[in-house]
Amino acid sequence: EPDVTIVSGLKDAVVSEGDDVTFRCQVSHENARDVEWKLQDVALQNNEMNEISVEKGKIHTLTLRKVTEQDIGTVTFRVGPHTSTA
């Protein structure tokens, strides 16, 4: 199985409290496994506040809904041994 790498990493974002923010990370191969999103070193799950999806097979997205001051911090995307942060 080919090593999946990060082609296009996360970009920093500044948003107002109550707004949604979306982070995107493009990987080199479709159907990447061993993918993880974190906020402040806490693993995120797909739920009503965090929308995690994959577009076109290679673009992994995380949308944080109605952010609050508690959401300030580092967002991390990891695939295998590779990480990107914003």
Side-chain angles (χ1 to χ4, degrees), residues 27 29-32 54-60:
V27 297
H29 296 79
E30 291 188 13
N31 304 318
V54 181
E55 299 170 3
K56 300 181 182 129
K58 295 182 183 179
I59 301 171
H60 293 257

Side-chain angles (χ1 to χ4, degrees), residues 14-35:
V14 177
V15 293
S16 298
E17 194 166 19
D19 287 349
D20 296 350
V21 61
T22 299
F23 295 93
R24 287 182 178 79
C25 200
Q26 183 176 349
V27 297
S28 58
H29 296 79
E30 291 188 13
N31 304 318
R33 282 182 244 136
D34 195 21
V35 170

Side-chain angles (χ1 to χ4, degrees), residues 7 13 21 25 28 31 42 61 64 67 74-75 78:
V7 175
V21 61
C25 200
S28 58
N31 304 318
V42 176
T61 64
L64 302 177
V67 296
T74 302
V75 171
R78 181 186 60 77

Side-chain angles (χ1 to χ4, degrees), residues 2-18:
D3 187 28
V4 178
T5 60
I6 295 172
V7 175
S8 175
L10 300 177
K11 295 188 174 36
D12 291 344
V14 177
V15 293
S16 298
E17 194 166 19

Side-chain angles (χ1 to χ4, degrees), residues 35-67:
V35 170
E36 182 178 51
W37 286 97
K38 287 184 174 181
L39 174 60
Q40 304 168 20
D41 276 338
V42 176
L44 299 176
Q45 305 298 322
N46 199 13
N47 59 36
E48 66 277 354
M49 297 307 293
N50 312 313
E51 183 183 322
I52 297 171
S53 61
V54 181
E55 299 170 3
K56 300 181 182 129
K58 295 182 183 179
I59 301 171
H60 293 257
T61 64
L62 166 67
T63 300
L64 302 177
R65 303 237 179 258
K66 297 183 176 66
V67 296

